[in-house]
Amino acid sequence: MNVMSSFMTYFIFAVLPICFAMLPFVGRKNLAFGITIPKSEYNSVPIKKARREFLFWMVAVGMLAMVISGFFLNPLPEGKMINLFMVMIVVQVLVYGMIYYTFYRRIKRLKAEMGWQISAQEIAVTDTKFAQTHKTACSPNWFWLYLLVVGATAALGIIFYDVIPDKVPLQMDSTGTFVKFADKSPVSVFFPVVMQALMSGVFIFVYYTFKRTPPVLDAENVTESSRQNAIFRYRWSLFTVFGGLAMLLIFGSIMLSNIGIADPHTVFTVSMVAVVVIIAYAVILSVTTGQSGSRVKPAGGQPGQQINRDDDRYWKAGSFYYNKEDPAMFVEKRFGIGTTVNFANPWAVAIFVGVIVIVVGISIAASILMK
């Protein structure tokens, strides 16, 4: 296993359980594992116990995955190692999903036993001037930097095409020596530019989904929850814009390495550090902000017995929103950070499938290039 493969393997197996484990702790206070509950019950004994147990199982599965990877991945040849690594990632995510569903069913039964949907007062609220009275996103003009970076990377490839060696380096081993190359061609030379363009589209799309998704507000304090939600969106818009810019610069540095301006080992090290910083900041932002700004310090207010629109029936397994009566294409997630699509809206489904096709296409293109 080379340096990059080893680093990414253990890093991903360490990050995945952390990301999943924190989800019940960063959600809105009127939700538990995708089920609507009164805010006053968020810190009740059974709900707190469920969160702690979920944390335990996420960490346990993550540690098991790291142990298995150490025994089975290291001795394998590079090609088989990558294939098994991808299988392990898929299996790990599926296991996490099954654990989540177990807790979802558990809280659903608890809600029925406690009669929360009967005793609690259900209220639906909205803020018709939310977008006008709050700054919900940083300026989209920052995306012009994306065009600048992509254009500069493409220009470097065109100007210095003849300088690029006949064999474009792709992979290095544990000693820092390149062991895999691709024949120089427009595909191999401009692959970083293609990646930049596709990633630009994805980050711009995420930016606008955060900006356009209707806010979920607290019926007990509409003004305060509007403020928190606006902070949530603004912080994530900044992360999306500048996190995306960092990723574009990483691929731009590959072009600099290919034309001999930057040392490839330095590019590798800086790129790995940048990826770690981006992921770490996303985790920190999730913990400090929470979904819908739930972890932003409120000005005041006490939890009550109101349930903000008990629409559990529209949320399949607490994660998949399907509501033909709702014209919205995107809604805020119930479990996790960010937005999801209304699967009853054909246009939303088409966009969702399109994003998946792009991501899969990038993976397939990268694997073909690496052969």
Side-chain angles (χ1 to χ4, degrees), residues 33-317:
F33 295 95
I35 296 294
T36 308
I37 62 172
K39 286 178 64 178
S40 58
E41 301 296 335
Y42 179 78
N43 286 316
S44 62
V45 173
I47 300 298
K48 290 177 68 174
K49 182 180 179 181
R51 289 198 296 268
R52 288 196 299 267
E53 290 180 5
F54 184 82
L55 172 65
F56 168 80
W57 283 110
M58 293 297 103
V59 173
V61 171
M63 292 179 65
L64 179 62
M66 292 186 69
V67 172
I68 292 175
S69 67
F71 276 103
F72 293 100
L73 292 184
N74 284 327
L76 292 177
E78 190 70 23
K80 292 183 179 180
M81 184 277 296
I82 293 176
N83 293 333
L84 182 57
F85 170 72
M86 295 306 298
V87 170
M88 289 182 63
I89 289 294
V90 172
V91 171
Q92 191 176 358
V93 172
L94 289 176
V95 171
Y96 287 153
M98 289 188 290
I99 295 174
Y100 158 76
Y101 186 71
T102 300
F103 281 87
Y104 161 79
R105 297 283 299 178
R106 173 173 161 179
I107 301 303
K108 187 176 182 180
R109 289 194 300 269
L110 177 64
K111 178 177 179 178
E113 294 170 0
M114 301 299 293
W116 286 337
Q117 70 270 45
I118 299 174
S119 61
Q121 181 183 6
E122 180 182 338
I123 298 178
V125 297
T126 185
D127 185 350
T128 57
K129 296 183 179 180
F130 178 75
Q132 290 76 30
T133 56
H134 297 283
K135 189 173 184 179
T136 58
C138 62
S139 173
N141 290 328
W142 285 109
F143 285 118
W144 287 109
L145 290 176
Y146 283 33
L147 181 61
L148 178 63
V149 173
V150 175
T153 306
L156 287 172
I158 294 172
I159 296 171
F160 295 97
Y161 189 86
D162 292 337
V163 177
I164 297 174
D166 292 333
K167 294 291 185 178
V168 179
L170 296 177
Q171 198 173 60
M172 64 176 61
D173 63 14
S174 57
T175 64
T177 303
F178 283 105
V179 295
K180 188 167 289 188
F181 300 83
D183 293 332
K184 184 171 75 171
S185 68
V187 174
S188 60
V189 171
F190 292 100
F191 183 73
V193 180
V194 175
M195 290 292 293
Q196 286 177 327
L198 292 174
M199 294 181 71
S200 295
V202 170
F203 281 106
I204 292 173
F205 169 73
V206 171
Y207 171 88
Y208 278 102
T209 57
F210 266 107
K211 192 172 182 179
R212 301 290 183 180
T213 301
V216 177
L217 304 178
D218 186 352
E220 296 178 73
N221 196 336
V222 177
T223 301
E224 181 61 26
S225 62
S226 292
R227 182 188 72 87
Q228 292 174 312
N229 199 292
I231 292 173
F232 158 74
R233 290 165 187 255
Y234 186 79
R235 289 179 180 178
W236 277 103
S237 73
L238 285 173
F239 173 82
T240 301
V241 170
F242 293 103
L245 182 61
M247 294 302 298
L248 265 59
L249 290 172
I250 288 174
F251 281 96
S253 68
I254 295 175
M255 182 67 77
L256 293 176
S257 173
N258 289 341
I259 65 180
I261 293 179
D263 175 65
H265 303 94
T266 302
V267 168
F268 168 79
T269 303
V270 172
S271 297
M272 290 301 98
V273 171
V275 170
V276 172
V277 170
I278 291 171
I279 295 176
Y281 184 63
V283 172
I284 293 172
L285 189 57
S286 299
V287 173
T288 56
T289 305
Q291 175 70 335
S292 305
S294 59
R295 297 182 71 86
V296 175
K297 186 176 181 180
Q302 297 295 323
Q305 284 294 322
Q306 295 175 338
I307 286 184
N308 296 274
R309 190 188 177 200
D310 191 351
D311 55 355
D312 290 352
R313 61 190 180 279
Y314 297 126
W315 288 88
K316 312 305 179 184

Side-chain angles (χ1 to χ4, degrees), residues 317-328:
S319 298
F320 304 99
Y321 186 66
Y322 189 91
N323 184 1
K324 294 181 178 180
E325 300 174 1
D326 189 348

Side-chain angles (χ1 to χ4, degrees), residues 337-357:
I337 297 293
T339 63
T340 186
V341 301
N342 179 2
F343 286 93
N345 188 309
W347 287 106
V349 173
I351 293 174
F352 177 77
V353 172
V355 172
I356 292 179
V357 169

